Amino acid sequence: METFTGRALGRHQAAAVRIGFGLVWLAYLLREWPNRRVLYGDRSPWSMELAQRLLADDGAFTVLPWFGGRLWFELVYHLAVLAALAVLLGWRTRASTVLFLVTVLSLQNRDVLLGDGGDNVVHLMAVYLVFTRCAEVWSLDARRAAPGRGGVVLWALLGAVLAVCQAGDFSGDSLTWTAPAFPYLGWAPLFWGLWAVAGLWWLLGRLWPAGEPRAVLDALANMVHNCAMLVIAVEVVLIYATAGWYKVQGSRWQDGTALYYPLHLDYFTPWPGLSGLVGSALFPVFLISYATVALQVAFPFTLMNRRVKNVLLAVMMVEHLGIAVVLGLPVFSLAMVAADAVFLPTGALLWAAERLGRLRRRPVRAP
């Protein structure tokens, strides 16, 4: 119990997950920047009227219908880019992870027909990252010597914006205190609760940094972080387990031809020559199809053995990178690689960080 409340477990894994998903969402937004209006804006085939009718049924959160129009959409889209960059760099992470959550939900719930599976992973991890202490290492927050006044100004500004959105009629049912379905709480308690806790944290740090109330808050933060990391790990296990067991029931996976068909579809062949080369090798396709099912089904059981888990994790990451290149699913593949980082050993992460640091510090020789 002392370990669970005394320190944040998996700090480096949490930072790797934060960096990974910040990079995935940022890369996606920048890649689709020329097509943003068609995907989520005023030129989308899924009109705002259709989106509002669906939102009225499922109660999903998005801020895009608040004002409508291109100007509001452009503001939200570019705020999403800035939030993803802030999460990637670990700048004011308590606030940037909340903005990251808001922008991810706003854009994805605007058109639920988009995505390749990776959007669902980003959707879930955006929620979980809010409750982690993911900026204790490898972040600008960790390098900051003192909190400074910038955090207080940002906290007050976000509180004022939230109050205006709460009081304004334009927010509709997005910021209600209660909800008709489970868990019967709206989004307002979450946002106001996070805002109040951040203010209390700063106040106790200034007035009573060594007092018992601050120690209690620190212990609660560690508990919430550790629970969130556990939920992330369980989520990854469930993704692989359900995917593997559903594949077992499929006839194409049973006869080993499941990979053959997407390799001959135009939608999944960004490199026709490479796809044709891989698809023509029938025996390797058969082996890869069977190996994929075996790896996904076996993954939850390998967690009991660290060495086997690390080897299997490396194989699955390589497989995801192969899916990104051969089948043209970069968002899905990179999102799964970022989620897999929760199981990476700390030694491997520190080794990779050291190597990257050496490359960054290496002097550039003049020709």
Side-chain angles (χ1 to χ4, degrees):
M1 187 63 181
E2 183 179 354
T3 303
F4 188 68
T5 60
R7 63 188 181 93
L9 303 176
R11 298 185 306 156
H12 296 86
Q13 287 80 2
V17 172
R18 168 184 58 81
I19 294 172
F21 281 98
L23 181 62
V24 169
W25 187 238
L26 178 62
Y28 172 76
L29 293 176
L30 294 179
R31 187 192 70 176
E32 300 298 346
W33 190 86
N35 308 313
R36 64 193 185 282
R37 294 177 64 187
V38 177
L39 295 177
Y40 304 109
D42 54 316
R43 295 180 179 177
S44 174
W46 188 257
S47 66
M48 184 63 72
E49 181 183 357
L50 292 175
Q52 288 178 321
R53 291 173 60 181
L54 181 61
L55 292 171
D57 294 333
D58 58 18
F61 178 83
T62 177
V63 302
L64 287 177
W66 286 5
F67 295 102
R70 182 181 177 184
L71 180 61
W72 175 246
F73 162 73
E74 296 286 359
L75 178 64
V76 173
Y77 192 93
H78 290 88
L79 178 62
V81 174
L82 295 178
L85 180 61
V87 168
L88 172 64
L89 299 177
W91 181 81
R92 304 291 179 187
T93 317
R94 293 175 186 168
S96 62
T97 50
V98 178
L99 293 177
F100 183 76
L101 168 65
V102 170
T103 53
V104 167
L105 296 182
S106 296
L107 292 177
Q108 291 188 354
N109 290 333
R110 165 64 177 85
D111 191 346
V112 296
L113 302 180
L114 295 175
D116 53 13
D119 56 312
N120 294 328
V121 182
V122 175
H123 192 115
L124 292 171
M125 296 302 170
V127 178
Y128 302 149
L129 280 176
V130 174
F131 301 99
T132 63
R133 306 183 74 171
C134 55
E136 292 197 348
V137 295
W138 302 334
S139 67
L140 296 179
D141 290 346
R143 293 187 176 187
R144 191 181 302 114
R149 297 182 178 180
V152 180
V153 175
L154 181 61
W155 175 81
L157 177 62
L158 292 177
V161 171
L162 182 57
V164 172
C165 296
Q166 185 79 46
D169 295 334
F170 53 84
S171 60
D173 296 332
S174 300
L175 292 176
T176 56
W177 290 92
T178 59
F182 182 83
Y184 307 109
L185 290 175
W187 287 95
L190 173 64
F191 293 140
W192 281 115
L194 293 172
W195 182 82
V197 169
L200 182 61
W201 187 286
W202 177 87
L203 184 63
L204 291 177
R206 289 293 297 269
L207 301 180
W208 203 358
E212 184 175 352
R214 176 57 188 266
V216 172
L217 274 183
D218 203 23
L220 289 175
N222 289 332
M223 291 176 60
V224 172
H225 164 86
N226 295 332
C227 289
M229 291 298 292
L230 178 61
V231 170
I232 293 175
V234 171
E235 187 69 43
V236 176
V237 170
L238 288 176
I239 290 174
Y240 283 126
T242 53
W245 286 109
Y246 272 111
K247 286 183 176 67
V248 168
Q249 304 173 45
S251 59
R252 294 293 177 264
W253 291 99
Q254 291 175 4
D255 57 27
T257 61
L259 182 61
Y260 174 84
Y261 295 99
L263 290 173
H264 292 78
L265 296 176
D266 293 338
Y267 184 80
F268 294 106
T269 54
W271 313 99
L274 179 61
S275 300
L277 179 63
V278 176
S280 62
L282 298 182
F283 186 66
V285 168
F286 173 83
L287 292 180
I288 294 174
S289 300
Y290 265 68
T292 300
V293 177
L295 291 176
Q296 292 181 348
V297 172
F299 180 75
F301 304 100
T302 61
L303 300 179
M304 295 180 289
N305 188 297
R306 181 179 300 179
R307 293 183 178 179
V308 177
K309 181 263 296 182
N310 292 339
V311 173
L312 186 61
L313 196 62
V315 173
M316 296 180 75
M317 286 185 170
V318 172
E319 182 183 21
H320 284 305
L321 295 178
I323 292 174
V325 176
V326 178
L327 298 182
L329 298 173
V331 175
F332 167 75
S333 300
L334 295 180
M336 289 307 303
V337 170
D340 289 342
V342 73
F343 292 109
L344 288 175
T346 304
L349 292 173
L350 293 176
W351 178 85
E354 181 183 359
R355 293 301 183 275
L356 290 176
R358 289 182 181 179
L359 291 176
R360 183 170 56 87
R361 293 189 299 268
R362 180 177 297 178
V364 179
R365 296 181 180 180

